[in-house]
Amino acid sequence: MTEVLSVLPHRSPFLFVDRVVECVPGVMARGYKQITINEWFFAGHFPDDPIMPGVLMTEAIAQLSAFAASPHEGGARRGMIASVGRTKYAGIVKPGDRLDLYFEIVTQKGAFTKGNGTASVEGKVMVTVEDLIIYTEKGESP
């Protein structure tokens, strides 16, 4: 978790990456988020049948992209979603699931990183995002 916090400026309750398990800067990253019943969004989505909102799974992929986007030298980088291309939601994520995240860079130009990502549970893809563009700016270390 220390590595994640040293790279991402996000903090609870809006931090959606628990661990990065593989990273090749400039190429790809793999990580995960353990989904617990205590997540803030379950109180309203939906109280009797809690599921993780798809847009938050997309956000988790975007947060993971920060690890692939740069070698993280010279301080943390704050990234923001600039564009989301084709997105397909294909499954439901519930408390107790481990959401496995993957992001692969297609191109990088200046402050913009374009790539594709997935979020899956036990090998079943829940979300596929194509042409996710992230704008990153240098920032102060968190």
Side-chain angles (χ1 to χ4, degrees):
M1 182 57 87
T2 303
E3 175 194 7
V4 171
L5 295 176
S6 72
V7 173
L8 292 177
H10 304 78
R11 295 295 179 263
S12 181
F14 218 76
L15 179 63
F16 296 113
V17 176
D18 289 338
R19 180 160 297 174
V20 176
V21 296
E22 183 180 5
C23 180
V24 179
V27 179
M28 58 75 70
R30 288 184 198 281
Y32 65 85
K33 165 75 175 156
Q34 185 65 48
I35 308 301
T36 70
I37 191 62
N38 298 321
E39 306 291 346
W40 60 272
F41 46 82
F42 287 142
H45 201 267
F46 301 99
D48 295 330
D49 187 20
I51 63 173
M52 184 176 190
V55 295
L56 296 182
M57 290 185 265
T58 301
E59 172 67 20
I61 295 167
Q63 288 182 16
L64 181 73
S65 75
F67 294 88
S70 73
H72 313 299
E73 295 172 3
R77 295 175 65 91
R78 184 171 61 177
M80 292 155 276
I81 296 174
S83 175
V84 179
R86 293 170 297 279
T87 303
K88 180 179 178 185
Y89 300 101
I92 294 173
V93 176
K94 295 188 150 289
D97 288 343
R98 186 176 109 164
L99 188 64
D100 293 313
L101 308 168
Y102 176 75
F103 182 80
E104 182 175 30
I105 292 175
V106 174
T107 60
Q108 282 187 296
K109 186 170 185 176
F112 292 92
T113 300
K114 178 180 175 181
N116 302 319
T118 59
S120 59
V121 174
E122 295 181 359
K124 181 179 183 231
V125 174
M126 301 294 158
V127 177
T128 301
V129 180
E130 296 179 12
D131 300 330
L132 175 65
I133 300 174
I134 305 297
Y135 169 78
T136 54
E137 62 182 18
K138 284 191 176 183
E140 299 299 319
S141 295

XYZ file of all heavy atoms in Angstrom, residues 14-73:
469
model
N -11.759 7.394 -2.030
C -11.710 7.356 -3.490
C -10.430 6.720 -4.033
O -10.033 6.969 -5.160
C -11.903 8.756 -4.081
C -12.727 8.724 -5.340
C -14.097 8.545 -5.277
C -12.137 8.826 -6.578
C -14.864 8.481 -6.442
C -12.876 8.766 -7.746
C -14.249 8.598 -7.677
N -9.795 5.868 -3.255
C -8.626 5.122 -3.708
C -9.093 3.721 -4.081
O -9.636 2.998 -3.239
C -7.578 5.055 -2.592
C -6.304 4.283 -2.897
C -5.533 4.936 -4.046
C -5.430 4.215 -1.652
N -8.905 3.340 -5.351
C -9.424 2.069 -5.841
C -8.337 1.101 -6.300
O -8.620 0.178 -7.067
C -10.432 2.310 -6.970
C -11.647 3.045 -6.518
C -11.904 4.322 -6.964
C -12.533 2.481 -5.607
C -13.011 5.017 -6.545
C -13.646 3.166 -5.170
C -13.896 4.447 -5.640
N -7.111 1.294 -5.844
C -6.023 0.349 -6.106
C -5.415 0.006 -4.751
O -4.922 0.890 -4.055
C -4.944 0.936 -7.041
C -3.788 -0.047 -7.215
C -5.533 1.310 -8.397
N -5.461 -1.272 -4.379
C -4.854 -1.705 -3.122
C -3.396 -2.099 -3.313
O -2.566 -1.843 -2.453
C -5.601 -2.904 -2.534
C -6.962 -2.539 -1.987
O -7.198 -1.352 -1.670
O -7.807 -3.449 -1.875
N -3.103 -2.732 -4.439
C -1.745 -3.213 -4.665
C -1.455 -3.298 -6.156
O -2.324 -3.666 -6.944
C -1.573 -4.589 -4.042
C -0.167 -5.151 -4.256
C 0.178 -6.226 -3.311
N 0.166 -5.640 -1.970
C 0.322 -6.336 -0.864
N 0.501 -7.628 -0.923
N 0.294 -5.762 0.318
N -0.222 -2.976 -6.516
C 0.275 -3.170 -7.875
C 1.156 -4.407 -7.825
O 2.111 -4.462 -7.047
C 1.060 -1.943 -8.371
C 1.659 -2.202 -9.744
C 0.164 -0.720 -8.397
N 0.820 -5.412 -8.621
C 1.548 -6.677 -8.578
C 2.555 -6.820 -9.706
O 3.478 -7.639 -9.620
C 0.599 -7.892 -8.555
C -0.232 -7.879 -7.279
C -0.295 -7.928 -9.768
N 2.387 -6.025 -10.757
C 3.322 -6.056 -11.885
C 3.261 -4.713 -12.587
O 2.178 -4.161 -12.784
C 2.937 -7.168 -12.858
C 3.873 -7.330 -14.030
C 3.455 -8.451 -14.975
O 2.385 -9.067 -14.799
O 4.223 -8.695 -15.929
N 4.425 -4.203 -12.946
C 4.451 -2.925 -13.646
C 5.687 -2.850 -14.532
O 6.800 -3.112 -14.082
C 4.471 -1.773 -12.638
S 4.497 -0.150 -13.429
N 5.454 -2.506 -15.777
C 6.526 -2.205 -16.712
C 6.250 -0.777 -17.171
O 5.374 -0.556 -18.022
C 6.548 -3.182 -17.912
C 7.668 -2.800 -18.874
C 6.676 -4.621 -17.441
N 6.935 0.221 -16.559
C 6.658 1.619 -16.902
C 6.758 1.861 -18.404
O 7.662 1.368 -19.075
C 7.740 2.384 -16.134
C 8.042 1.502 -14.966
C 7.960 0.101 -15.528
N 5.775 2.579 -18.908
C 5.705 2.858 -20.331
C 5.058 1.752 -21.134
O 4.864 1.883 -22.341
N 4.682 0.644 -20.458
C 4.108 -0.498 -21.165
C 2.778 -0.960 -20.546
O 1.750 -0.950 -21.211
C 5.102 -1.684 -21.212
C 4.491 -2.883 -21.923
C 6.409 -1.274 -21.863
N 2.798 -1.395 -19.271
C 1.595 -1.983 -18.669
C 1.702 -2.013 -17.160
O 2.780 -1.843 -16.600
C 1.347 -3.397 -19.189
C 2.477 -4.389 -18.974
S 2.734 -5.053 -17.314
C 1.312 -6.076 -17.123
N 0.554 -2.279 -16.519
C 0.508 -2.484 -15.077
C -0.638 -3.432 -14.734
O -1.666 -3.455 -15.416
C 0.332 -1.162 -14.341
N -0.435 -4.216 -13.668
C -1.457 -5.097 -13.108
C -1.567 -4.800 -11.618
O -0.556 -4.589 -10.951
C -1.083 -6.578 -13.243
C -1.157 -7.127 -14.616
C -0.842 -8.649 -14.591
N -0.490 -9.115 -15.897
C -1.346 -9.396 -16.865
N -2.629 -9.262 -16.643
N -0.944 -9.798 -18.041
N -2.789 -4.818 -11.123
C -2.997 -4.602 -9.702
C -4.367 -5.117 -9.315
O -5.037 -5.782 -10.104
N -4.780 -4.790 -8.080
C -6.108 -5.216 -7.664
C -6.667 -4.321 -6.574
O -5.955 -3.573 -5.919
C -6.127 -6.678 -7.208
C -5.333 -6.978 -5.961
C -5.893 -6.792 -4.696
C -4.035 -7.460 -6.039
C -5.181 -7.077 -3.548
C -3.316 -7.749 -4.899
C -3.893 -7.563 -3.653
O -3.168 -7.838 -2.523
N -7.983 -4.444 -6.407
C -8.728 -3.800 -5.338
C -9.575 -4.869 -4.695
O -10.372 -5.537 -5.370
C -9.621 -2.676 -5.906
C -10.692 -2.168 -4.961
C -10.113 -1.290 -3.898
C -11.238 -0.689 -3.030
N -10.758 -0.322 -1.729
N -9.389 -5.079 -3.385
C -10.225 -6.020 -2.649
C -11.508 -5.292 -2.270
O -11.470 -4.260 -1.609
C -9.508 -6.519 -1.389
C -10.270 -7.571 -0.645
C -10.418 -8.861 -1.432
O -9.461 -9.382 -1.991
N -11.644 -9.373 -1.494
N -12.629 -5.814 -2.697
C -13.919 -5.168 -2.472
C -14.514 -5.694 -1.163
O -14.721 -6.899 -1.014
C -14.894 -5.443 -3.642
C -14.244 -5.106 -4.989
C -16.195 -4.683 -3.444
C -13.778 -3.674 -5.138
N -14.778 -4.775 -0.224
C -15.332 -5.168 1.065
C -16.744 -4.595 1.225
O -17.106 -3.625 0.552
C -14.467 -4.677 2.234
O -14.580 -3.254 2.334
C -13.003 -5.073 2.042
N -17.502 -5.169 2.145
C -18.856 -4.690 2.408
C -18.833 -3.267 2.973
O -19.829 -2.551 2.921
C -19.631 -5.645 3.356
C -21.120 -5.285 3.417
C -19.005 -5.650 4.736
C -21.871 -5.387 2.126
N -17.708 -2.815 3.474
C -17.594 -1.481 4.070
C -17.394 -0.363 3.052
O -17.270 0.792 3.453
C -16.441 -1.459 5.080
C -16.684 -2.422 6.219
O -17.801 -2.566 6.693
N -15.640 -3.109 6.638
N -17.353 -0.678 1.765
C -17.169 0.366 0.748
C -18.334 1.349 0.848
O -19.495 0.946 0.972
C -17.107 -0.231 -0.658
C -16.086 -1.330 -0.852
C -14.645 -0.873 -0.788
O -14.376 0.340 -0.845
O -13.761 -1.750 -0.695
N -18.024 2.624 0.752
C -19.020 3.688 0.932
C -20.174 3.611 -0.060
O -21.306 3.945 0.256
C -18.356 5.059 0.860
C -17.653 5.330 -0.444
C -16.365 5.022 -0.746
C -18.205 5.925 -1.610
N -16.072 5.384 -2.039
C -17.187 5.950 -2.595
C -19.453 6.454 -1.943
C -17.381 6.473 -3.871
C -19.634 6.975 -3.221
C -18.609 6.984 -4.159
N -19.908 3.161 -1.270
C -20.933 3.180 -2.313
C -22.002 2.108 -2.120
O -23.088 2.217 -2.676
C -20.318 3.077 -3.707
C -19.269 2.009 -3.835
C -19.607 0.687 -4.043
C -17.921 2.345 -3.750
C -18.636 -0.288 -4.165
C -16.941 1.376 -3.873
C -17.304 0.056 -4.078
N -21.722 1.079 -1.320
C -22.713 0.027 -1.123
C -23.933 0.505 -0.324
O -25.005 -0.088 -0.421
C -22.098 -1.196 -0.439
C -21.200 -2.004 -1.326
C -20.049 -2.577 -0.823
C -21.512 -2.214 -2.662
C -19.213 -3.336 -1.638
C -20.692 -2.970 -3.484
C -19.536 -3.539 -2.967
N -23.775 1.570 0.440
C -24.907 2.086 1.224
C -26.068 2.501 0.322
O -27.226 2.422 0.723
C -24.459 3.269 2.076
N -25.765 2.918 -0.894
C -26.833 3.353 -1.791
C -26.892 2.606 -3.101
O -27.743 2.874 -3.940
N -25.996 1.626 -3.301
C -25.917 0.947 -4.612
C -25.737 -0.554 -4.441
O -24.661 -1.060 -4.734
C -24.745 1.523 -5.408
C -24.840 1.296 -6.876
N -24.268 0.229 -7.524
C -25.444 2.008 -7.838
C -24.489 0.311 -8.824
N -25.203 1.376 -9.036
N -26.535 -1.318 -4.071
C -27.894 -1.112 -3.603
C -27.961 -1.752 -2.228
O -27.415 -2.837 -2.055
C -28.891 -1.744 -4.562
C -28.791 -1.173 -5.964
C -28.086 -1.837 -6.953
C -29.389 0.039 -6.265
C -28.005 -1.317 -8.242
C -29.310 0.566 -7.557
C -28.607 -0.111 -8.546
N -28.636 -1.138 -1.254
C -28.586 -1.633 0.119
C -28.955 -3.106 0.292
O -28.333 -3.808 1.074
C -29.589 -0.732 0.856
C -29.645 0.514 0.044
C -29.444 0.085 -1.385
N -29.937 -3.595 -0.438
C -30.364 -4.986 -0.289
C -29.629 -5.960 -1.209
O -29.737 -7.177 -1.035
C -31.876 -5.097 -0.527
C -32.676 -4.348 0.519
O -32.192 -4.253 1.674
O -33.763 -3.833 0.193
N -28.903 -5.436 -2.181
C -28.153 -6.270 -3.125
C -26.943 -5.459 -3.605
O -26.928 -4.962 -4.728
C -29.048 -6.665 -4.304
C -28.375 -7.670 -5.218
O -27.414 -8.346 -4.783
O -28.801 -7.776 -6.390
N -25.919 -5.300 -2.741
C -24.811 -4.394 -3.054
C -23.983 -4.841 -4.268
O -23.570 -5.994 -4.357
C -23.969 -4.413 -1.782
C -24.341 -5.663 -1.071
C -25.746 -5.988 -1.473
N -23.805 -3.896 -5.204
C -22.923 -4.120 -6.351
C -22.064 -2.878 -6.568
O -22.485 -1.765 -6.264
C -23.697 -4.471 -7.643
C -24.612 -3.332 -8.088
C -24.490 -5.753 -7.450
C -25.258 -3.565 -9.446
N -20.873 -3.074 -7.072
C -19.960 -1.961 -7.340
C -20.385 -1.271 -8.628
O -20.548 -1.927 -9.662
C -18.529 -2.468 -7.463
C -17.509 -1.371 -7.642
S -15.826 -2.032 -7.674
C -14.885 -0.517 -7.601
N -20.534 0.065 -8.590
C -20.891 0.785 -9.817
C -19.820 0.618 -10.902
O -18.615 0.653 -10.616
C -20.985 2.243 -9.360
C -21.242 2.165 -7.894
C -20.494 0.948 -7.428
N -20.264 0.452 -12.124
C -19.346 0.276 -13.250
C -18.388 1.440 -13.427
O -17.219 1.244 -13.751
N -18.868 2.651 -13.200
C -17.985 3.813 -13.383
C -16.840 3.787 -12.384
O -15.747 4.288 -12.682
C -18.745 5.154 -13.308
C -19.718 5.288 -14.457
C -19.458 5.319 -11.983
N -17.046 3.190 -11.209
C -15.959 3.092 -10.239
C -14.953 2.015 -10.635
O -13.763 2.132 -10.342
C -16.507 2.853 -8.834
C -17.359 4.000 -8.278
C -17.818 3.693 -6.857
C -16.625 5.332 -8.340
N -15.417 0.986 -11.334
C -14.472 0.000 -11.883
C -13.617 0.662 -12.962
O -12.411 0.427 -13.042
C -15.227 -1.203 -12.448
C -15.861 -2.069 -11.380
S -16.609 -3.557 -12.075
C -18.296 -3.010 -12.273
N -14.241 1.516 -13.774
C -13.500 2.265 -14.791
C -12.490 3.193 -14.120
O -11.342 3.301 -14.555
C -14.468 3.061 -15.682
O -15.380 2.139 -16.298
C -13.735 3.845 -16.747
N -12.893 3.850 -13.042
C -11.981 4.705 -12.283
C -10.800 3.913 -11.731
O -9.666 4.392 -11.737
C -12.736 5.400 -11.142
C -11.858 6.169 -10.173
C -11.178 7.402 -10.756
O -11.626 7.931 -11.782
O -10.171 7.856 -10.153
N -11.041 2.697 -11.267
C -9.959 1.856 -10.754
C -8.926 1.570 -11.845
O -7.716 1.630 -11.605
C -10.522 0.553 -10.186
N -9.395 1.275 -13.049
C -8.475 1.052 -14.176
C -7.693 2.330 -14.455
O -6.478 2.293 -14.675
C -9.247 0.586 -15.434
C -9.895 -0.783 -15.191
C -8.322 0.543 -16.654
C -10.934 -1.173 -16.241
N -8.373 3.463 -14.439
C -7.696 4.746 -14.684
C -6.639 5.022 -13.620
O -5.546 5.492 -13.936
C -8.727 5.875 -14.731
N -6.940 4.721 -12.363
C -5.944 4.928 -11.305
C -4.738 4.019 -11.525
O -3.595 4.447 -11.365
C -6.563 4.695 -9.930
C -7.506 5.794 -9.512
C -8.091 5.592 -8.131
O -7.602 4.796 -7.325
N -9.156 6.331 -7.833
N -4.981 2.780 -11.911
C -3.865 1.862 -12.181
C -2.992 2.364 -13.324
O -1.780 2.160 -13.322
C -4.401 0.460 -12.498
C -3.315 -0.579 -12.774
C -2.595 -0.961 -11.488
C -3.903 -1.799 -13.447
N -3.594 3.057 -14.282
C -2.829 3.535 -15.441
C -1.667 4.439 -15.040
O -0.672 4.526 -15.756
C -3.743 4.266 -16.427
O -4.099 5.558 -15.941
N -1.765 5.103 -13.890
C -0.687 5.983 -13.429
C 0.619 5.221 -13.262
O 1.700 5.782 -13.455
C -1.077 6.654 -12.115
N 0.543 3.957 -12.908
C 1.748 3.162 -12.698
C 2.418 2.804 -14.022
O 3.631 2.734 -14.108
C 1.425 1.909 -11.888
C 1.005 2.244 -10.498
C -0.323 2.501 -10.205
C 1.939 2.357 -9.488
C -0.715 2.850 -8.938
C 1.567 2.715 -8.207
C 0.235 2.966 -7.926
N 1.625 2.584 -15.047
C 2.178 2.275 -16.359
C 2.656 3.529 -17.081
O 3.589 3.487 -17.869
C 1.136 1.557 -17.222
N 2.008 4.664 -16.784
C 2.227 5.884 -17.569
C 3.591 6.524 -17.404
O 4.061 7.203 -18.303
C 1.145 6.914 -17.241
N 4.242 6.348 -16.270
C 5.529 7.013 -16.075
C 6.399 6.229 -15.114
O 5.915 5.426 -14.328
C 5.306 8.427 -15.529
O 4.902 8.366 -14.179
N 7.709 6.490 -15.168
C 8.610 5.811 -14.235
C 8.569 6.419 -12.837
O 9.269 5.979 -11.954
C 9.990 5.993 -14.871
C 9.856 7.186 -15.730
C 8.423 7.234 -16.177
N 7.771 7.445 -12.626
C 7.555 8.057 -11.317
C 8.811 8.697 -10.748
O 9.021 8.698 -9.549
C 6.964 7.044 -10.331
C 5.836 6.286 -10.926
N 4.690 6.906 -11.371
C 5.694 4.988 -11.211
C 3.889 5.996 -11.874
N 4.472 4.837 -11.800
N 9.630 9.210 -11.609
C 10.792 9.947 -11.140
C 10.426 11.418 -11.060
O 9.663 11.929 -11.868
C 11.967 9.734 -12.087
C 12.440 8.287 -12.095
C 13.472 8.013 -13.162
O 13.885 8.942 -13.873
O 13.854 6.845 -13.286
